Amino acid sequence: MASLNGTSHNSIDDELDFSDIEAKYRVDFDDGFDSIIVVDGVPVIDRSKLDKLLAKISKEFSRKGAVIKQDDIFVPWDDKAGKSKGFIFVDLGNPDAAAFAAGAMNGHPFDAKHTFRINRFTDVERYASIDETYVEPAVEEYRPKEHLRAWLADSQGRDQYVTYRGDDVEIHWHGKPSQCEIAYAKKNWTELYASWSPLGTYFATLFRQGVRLWGGPSWEPQHRFAHPLVKLIDFSPCENYIVTWSHDPISVPANLPQGPEFFSPEDEGNNIAVWEIKSGHLLRTFPTTAYENEDPAMKKQMQWPALKWSSDDKFVARVTPGQHISVYELPTMGLHDKKSLKIEGVVDFEWCPHGEKDKEDAEKPVKAEKGAKKRENMLAYWTPEVANQPARVTLINFPSRTVLRQKNLFNVTECKLHWQNQGDFLCVKVDRHTKTKKSIFCNLEIFRVREKDYPVEVVELKDTVTDFSWEPKGERFAIVSSNDPNLGNPGPGITIKTDISFYQLDRTKNDFKLLRTLTSRTSNTIRWSPRGRHVVLATVGSSTKSELEFWDLDFNTEERREGQNVKEEWGSGIQQLGSADHYGVTDVEWDPSGRYLATSASAWRHTLENGYAIWDFRGQELEKLILDRFKQFIWRPRPRSLLTKEQQRQIRKNLREYSRAFDEEDAAEESNVSAELIAHRKRLLDEWNAWRARCKRDIAEEKRSRGQKLNGEHHEEEKEEIEEWIDEVIEQIEEEVVE
Amino acid sequence: MRPILLQGHERSLTQIKFNSEGDLLFSCSKDHIINVWFSHNGERLGTYDGHNGTVWTIDADSQSRFLVSGSADNELRLWNVSDGKCLYVWEFPTAVKRVAFSDDDERVVCITEQRMGHQCVIRVFKLNRDGDGTTQSLEPEHMFSPIGSKATVCAFTYTPNLIITGHESGKIALFDVVTGTEVLNNERAHMDVVTDLQLSADRSYFVTSSKDKTARIHDTKTLRVLKTFATETPLNSAALAPNKPYVLVGGGQEAMQVTTTSLRQGKFETRFWHKVFEEEVGRVKGHFGPINTIAVHPAGTSYASGGEDGFIRVHHFDESYFRVKPYGDLQLED
């Protein structure tokens, strides 16, 4: 048997050519030459100077940390000339030391004429045997990439959203009931959370190894950024760059691949990395600012995003609290003008967002350079009160660094900068304390940025403002204010009473005036529709209240458009459209079209009734799913419309025509849906009945085989009618009749 | 639908059962008492006294002659239904968690708890139905221990000597009681403890409830999951409504978490699901604790639920319940 096996084995051996496998798994024997380096550029000398030279060389090597003895050096001789050959061999004892010495001494200027050039001995052989013939590199076949914005071309104009539940990540289409479907689903697609890029082009997922971006209709991987243990990510507004942060400082292990996509030893110890998305290259890394600052008050929480982008992706800035704002230019990531903006005591800053108009201006060819002056980037920062100096909010231009406007403030505890999303207004929410520092009240300093000299207007409030929100593209804002004594000490079961106020720019007087205040609410969150006008007030994070209120601020608009300048009563257009309740809601988000609102209860916050719901703008529930271990819901953002103003106006004008077509579609759809549902039910019913028939047959057979009688076969139970006669003696009177 | 509130227990209900005619309702509770009620008006007929621990489970035979009960005092008792006398007591090393009669009333299966070094044991007793019932054999006809996860619920199938068990791991299995071997199983029937198991009238399919927040209908023969009803709370009980295509499920937040959750969150409601379409059709609220057990009248005219709150609520369906056809005219086999 053994011999038989042996022969057959041999015959196979003969037939097969193992050379490729052998070559692949060949073990490189340690030839011992790894510890030897070749030093070129050594002066050519004769015998008499040998000792002196060797002493000098070993000294120079030792000074750089590569300790060698004179015995380790071998000097080849040209015996005919009686001189050295100008290169030497040095044995460092082990390969690591050799590698170190090669790195440390390569290019070392030995003297004015001689510079050391060092190679590993083994490398010399390796490079010498390189195939010198040029081989034309095979041209890879061109594979067209998928269009990253393909979802916008959806024939039904649907939006997408992503849900993350348990380990499952799903991307859904959201449309009419029949058009809702899963676009793509994948298990373990992310290890932490998922995120969209700001224009919706990329889908980012986080893994232990780093960030991955996905995109296109088939969700192929697009880019990867190897930042181990990444926790936070942030995209630049135009999606050109991405910033990643990990709590663990970057460490560069010896085996890490090298290249522009990877960290190099200089990045060691940093936490923040900036990457270019298109190339995947690492641009620069930073340490977390809080670590530099020894002040414990500053350490409490890291700000995120740590790097703030100007909205045209040209600059990115970060603040070193109390010292300066450093602005870096893209794409080089060099410090702009080679110096930071030194601002004593600076706490926080914000870039001015670019409005749609600014973007259009920027896209226009530079034809009328003088006429349409392009708006520079602007940024606002604030500094707190120090000694005798008042607190101050400053608005500056960038890159010219000219101060546009400054405003001094007193008794300031805290400032928050809120830009309106078109960059028309800046509101500085100033929390001020009274002289006794016992109570806090709030001022809103509103900068009208588009006007000459940047006029500032102050809205004084008596209460603490907990939330502030500009209407997107609008001239209104909403605030949540509260004078509840429980404010600031949250506890279980405590729901803070709040007031919601709406303000609007009064065109005639050119200042902000109160539209309306809704008192005694519990709402603590304002969510404006991305198109403005509609707003949702929500009570988030409370264990007892979870109300959603849907408001329309221009309820009478229709009439106004027709009747033109009808002087309507101030604030009369505000109308509540509906209210709803989503128990345990933790997140509230409008879809990018402003037609739908999604609310979700995430398992990251609590474990009661996790899931999500989708409402229309009036507060009608469209969909509600309660899902265990539900974590995240995000709408896919949309980029700016490509239609020109004129085209948009045309569409608005012909809205009636379009809507007729849509209505027809809806009607057809509805009948279709019910037909489908009925068919589905019919199928279920038929399946069930067929199965029941089978079951009955089986049981009958079984019983028959056991000789039992088939009970239950029409022993229709005769109903027993029980008639109960109840005699109740109410009174018994005995009468004696006397005759 | 105005429920009749039966206030006869001082502690939470563990199981309630109608007899086969549906005129009597048996209930047992953690307060050691077994009660029997007239189901049509909620009048209490009597009690079965004797147990000295939580009575976990009861079952009555089809002739309403005998009642068996299992308790945490490690006893299985046989009672005379009509006069409340205890006829026989079996004692075991651990508590009795589940009892059930076979369809021919000849046998009783019982599950004892796995505790204090004792394994979970399934025993089958053959009842001596002659005489007054006081002469029973002490030794079980068959006994065996399921390997792996312990059994929590069980019932006889229409095939003699074959029982279905639901397990702590969520497994559903078929056991041959004579050999003690597992004939068939479905390891992933549920993801968590199986809390209840109730058979259809002909025992060809059954509904189970589980802490994994779902109730499921299974085929007795193949153990295939036919229907799934997913809710948002852990479920303690599920029952099939005869003559109507509904499944009744009940549960609620864990009893130990009740104090920290409001009534609203607790979901202490009985839910009605369409058993074929897997759609929820209605809810009945009323309990202020989790629902521990649900039973439906064998004729489908009423149902009762027993809660952690110690109350039994008997609901006689309104006339409209029988009249409405939420899905139109359907020819549905029961």
Side-chain angles (χ1 to χ4, degrees), chain B residues 234-303:
Chain B
L235 295 180
N236 293 330
S237 189
L240 292 158
N243 305 329
K244 276 277 177 185
Y246 301 136
V247 168
L248 284 69
V249 302
Q253 217 67 349
E254 293 297 332
M256 63 210 295
Q257 286 176 16
V258 166
T259 49
T260 58
T261 51
S262 74
L263 212 62
R264 205 202 147 278
Q265 291 160 248
K267 310 270 188 205
F268 310 134
E269 295 153 328
T270 306
R271 293 132 189 262
F272 285 67
W273 287 72
H274 195 286
K275 77 178 171 195
V276 177
F277 302 149
E278 301 175 312
E279 288 171 28
E280 192 177 327
V281 285
R283 291 185 186 191
V284 176
K285 56 184 177 189
H287 281 286
F288 49 90
I291 292 170
N292 284 344
T293 171
I294 295 177
V296 186
H297 191 288
T301 54
S302 65
Y303 86 93

Side-chain angles (χ1 to χ4, degrees), chain A residues 382-511:
Chain A
W382 76 281
T383 52
E385 282 167 296
V386 193
N388 282 331
Q389 211 182 328
R392 185 176 282 171
V393 175
T394 314
L395 197 61
I396 63 164
N397 252 342
F398 205 87
S400 63
R401 305 193 182 201
T402 47
V403 174
L404 300 172
R405 183 76 159 89
Q406 268 188 334
K407 176 98 196 307
N408 290 346
L409 305 164
F410 301 94
N411 299 342
V412 173
T413 337
E414 174 73 37
C415 277
K416 266 266 162 349
L417 309 165
H418 297 275
W419 282 97
Q420 188 245 20
N421 79 334
Q422 298 293 303
D424 295 343
F425 307 105
L426 164 70
C427 175
V428 183
K429 181 172 86 70
V430 188
D431 290 333
R432 300 181 62 189
H433 49 80
T434 48
K435 285 257 163 61
T436 55
K437 295 202 174 181
K438 268 186 186 145
S439 58
I440 285 190
F441 62 101
C442 188
N443 275 9
L444 302 174
E445 312 265 342
I446 302 168
F447 292 66
R448 295 208 290 279
V449 182
R450 300 269 181 200
E451 286 171 41
K452 202 169 167 257
D453 292 335
Y454 310 95
V456 181
E457 179 201 333
V458 187
V459 177
E460 289 191 31
L461 300 160
K462 289 194 180 63
D463 299 332
T464 316
V465 174
T466 55
D467 197 8
F468 176 96
S469 183
W470 282 105
E471 177 185 24
K473 304 176 187 171
E475 297 172 344
R476 286 180 284 227
F477 62 83
I479 54 168
V480 180
S481 59
S482 172
N483 52 9
D484 197 305
N486 280 323
L487 188 69
N489 23 297
I494 295 176
T495 309
I496 286 159
K497 281 258 171 283
T498 55
D499 297 337
I500 319 289
S501 311
F502 297 103
Y503 287 81
Q504 185 170 6
L505 182 71
D506 187 346
R507 282 277 177 201
T508 51
K509 293 199 192 101
N510 228 0
D511 61 355

Side-chain angles (χ1 to χ4, degrees), chain A residues 78-89:
Chain A
D78 184 352
D79 284 333
K80 275 182 222 155
K83 294 203 168 188
S84 71
K85 286 190 170 173
F87 61 89
I88 56 170
F89 298 96

Side-chain angles (χ1 to χ4, degrees), chain A residues 65-81:
Chain A
V67 183
I68 52 168
K69 290 197 288 286
Q70 290 187 26
D71 304 351
D72 299 333
I73 304 172
F74 174 77
V75 186
W77 285 93
D78 184 352
D79 284 333
K80 275 182 222 155

Side-chain angles (χ1 to χ4, degrees), chain A residues 436-633:
Chain A
T436 55
K437 295 202 174 181
K438 268 186 186 145
S439 58
I440 285 190
F441 62 101
C442 188
N443 275 9
L444 302 174
E445 312 265 342
I446 302 168
F447 292 66
R448 295 208 290 279
V449 182
R450 300 269 181 200
E451 286 171 41
K452 202 169 167 257
D453 292 335
Y454 310 95
V456 181
E457 179 201 333
V458 187
V459 177
E460 289 191 31
L461 300 160
K462 289 194 180 63
D463 299 332
T464 316
V465 174
T466 55
D467 197 8
F468 176 96
S469 183
W470 282 105
E471 177 185 24
K473 304 176 187 171
E475 297 172 344
R476 286 180 284 227
F477 62 83
I479 54 168
V480 180
S481 59
S482 172
N483 52 9
D484 197 305
N486 280 323
L487 188 69
N489 23 297
I494 295 176
T495 309
I496 286 159
K497 281 258 171 283
T498 55
D499 297 337
I500 319 289
S501 311
F502 297 103
Y503 287 81
Q504 185 170 6
L505 182 71
D506 187 346
R507 282 277 177 201
T508 51
K509 293 199 192 101
N510 228 0
D511 61 355
F512 281 88
K513 218 167 105 184
L514 182 67
L515 270 177
R516 183 152 162 201
T517 301
L518 315 169
T519 53
S520 313
R521 307 279 154 155
T522 54
S523 318
N524 49 22
T525 309
I526 305 165
R527 288 285 182 274
W528 286 96
S529 147
R531 306 195 68 102
R533 180 170 164 182
H534 296 282
V535 65
V536 166
L537 311 173
T539 311
V540 170
S542 159
S543 55
T544 48
K545 290 270 185 173
S546 50
E547 251 191 358
L548 304 166
E549 288 184 37
F550 295 78
W551 288 83
D552 183 354
L553 267 68
D554 290 327
F555 194 68
N556 309 330
T557 323
E558 257 55 52
E559 294 151 38
R560 190 172 59 185
R561 193 174 294 151
E562 280 152 32
Q564 241 96 101
N565 264 328
V566 176
K567 190 78 186 159
E568 67 179 297
E569 198 140 323
W570 190 250
S572 67
I574 302 185
Q575 181 86 27
Q576 183 167 8
L577 295 177
S579 65
D581 196 277
H582 182 172
Y583 179 73
V585 59
T586 57
D587 298 279
V588 182
E589 207 190 346
W590 282 93
D591 86 319
S593 68
R595 292 176 298 171
Y596 305 105
L597 182 87
T599 55
S600 57
S602 165
W604 284 326
R605 299 293 189 80
H606 60 70
T607 52
L608 299 169
E609 281 187 43
N610 297 133
Y612 68 91
I614 297 178
W615 319 77
D616 69 4
F617 68 98
R618 294 167 301 173
Q620 301 284 323
E621 181 181 297
L622 300 178
E623 200 177 346
K624 182 160 188 175
L625 290 163
I626 293 191
L627 303 163
D628 253 0
R629 295 174 295 129
F630 184 83
K631 294 177 190 163
Q632 212 182 2
F633 180 105

Side-chain angles (χ1 to χ4, degrees), chain B residues 58-317:
Chain B
I58 42 168
D59 198 18
D61 70 4
S62 63
Q63 299 160 15
S64 301
R65 185 174 164 212
F66 292 132
L67 177 76
V68 285
S69 64
S71 156
D73 60 7
N74 305 348
E75 287 175 356
L76 171 70
R77 280 173 184 253
L78 182 72
W79 309 84
N80 190 341
V81 169
S82 54
D83 61 5
K85 283 214 179 80
C86 179
L87 302 175
Y88 200 80
V89 180
W90 289 269
E91 196 159 357
F92 308 116
T94 57
V96 183
K97 294 294 281 190
R98 191 78 173 192
V99 294
F101 269 102
S102 64
D103 54 351
D104 55 4
D105 299 334
E106 295 279 323
R107 289 179 177 81
V108 168
V109 62
C110 87
I111 297 177
T112 52
E113 180 73 299
Q114 168 186 20
R115 187 148 297 159
M116 295 182 293
H118 294 283
Q119 273 191 304
C120 164
V121 182
I122 297 173
R123 291 177 177 84
V124 175
F125 294 92
K126 187 161 168 53
L127 289 189
N128 172 14
R129 299 184 66 86
D130 304 328
D132 58 359
T134 51
T135 48
Q136 301 293 343
S137 84
L138 187 64
E139 289 309 310
E141 192 185 21
H142 308 291
M143 70 180 273
F144 61 94
S145 288
I147 295 156
S149 176
K150 73 175 183 190
T152 52
V153 290
C154 65
F156 275 99
T157 62
Y158 57 85
T159 318
N161 293 329
L162 209 55
I163 61 162
I164 326 162
T165 54
H167 294 254
E168 197 181 26
S169 65
K171 179 172 85 169
I172 302 280
L174 274 177
F175 279 94
D176 184 331
V177 294
V178 179
T179 58
T181 50
E182 201 174 88
V183 182
L184 195 64
N185 73 39
N186 182 357
E187 290 280 357
R188 307 189 64 77
H190 280 289
M191 310 298 282
D192 207 337
V193 195
V194 180
T195 50
D196 197 8
L197 187 158
Q198 297 196 21
L199 288 152
S200 69
D202 63 358
R203 303 195 180 218
S204 61
Y205 64 100
F206 59 97
V207 63
T208 56
S209 64
S210 162
K211 291 283 183 202
D212 70 1
K213 307 185 181 180
T214 62
R216 290 192 153 123
I217 290 184
H218 313 256
D219 183 353
T220 305
K221 205 171 158 194
T222 60
L223 295 186
R224 197 161 55 90
V225 174
L226 297 173
K227 301 287 169 190
T228 300
F229 313 98
T231 70
E232 55 269 42
T233 55
L235 295 180
N236 293 330
S237 189
L240 292 158
N243 305 329
K244 276 277 177 185
Y246 301 136
V247 168
L248 284 69
V249 302
Q253 217 67 349
E254 293 297 332
M256 63 210 295
Q257 286 176 16
V258 166
T259 49
T260 58
T261 51
S262 74
L263 212 62
R264 205 202 147 278
Q265 291 160 248
K267 310 270 188 205
F268 310 134
E269 295 153 328
T270 306
R271 293 132 189 262
F272 285 67
W273 287 72
H274 195 286
K275 77 178 171 195
V276 177
F277 302 149
E278 301 175 312
E279 288 171 28
E280 192 177 327
V281 285
R283 291 185 186 191
V284 176
K285 56 184 177 189
H287 281 286
F288 49 90
I291 292 170
N292 284 344
T293 171
I294 295 177
V296 186
H297 191 288
T301 54
S302 65
Y303 86 93
S305 55
E308 187 73 20
D309 56 12
F311 296 116
I312 305 164
R313 300 173 76 90
V314 181
H315 303 77
H316 291 272
F317 292 122

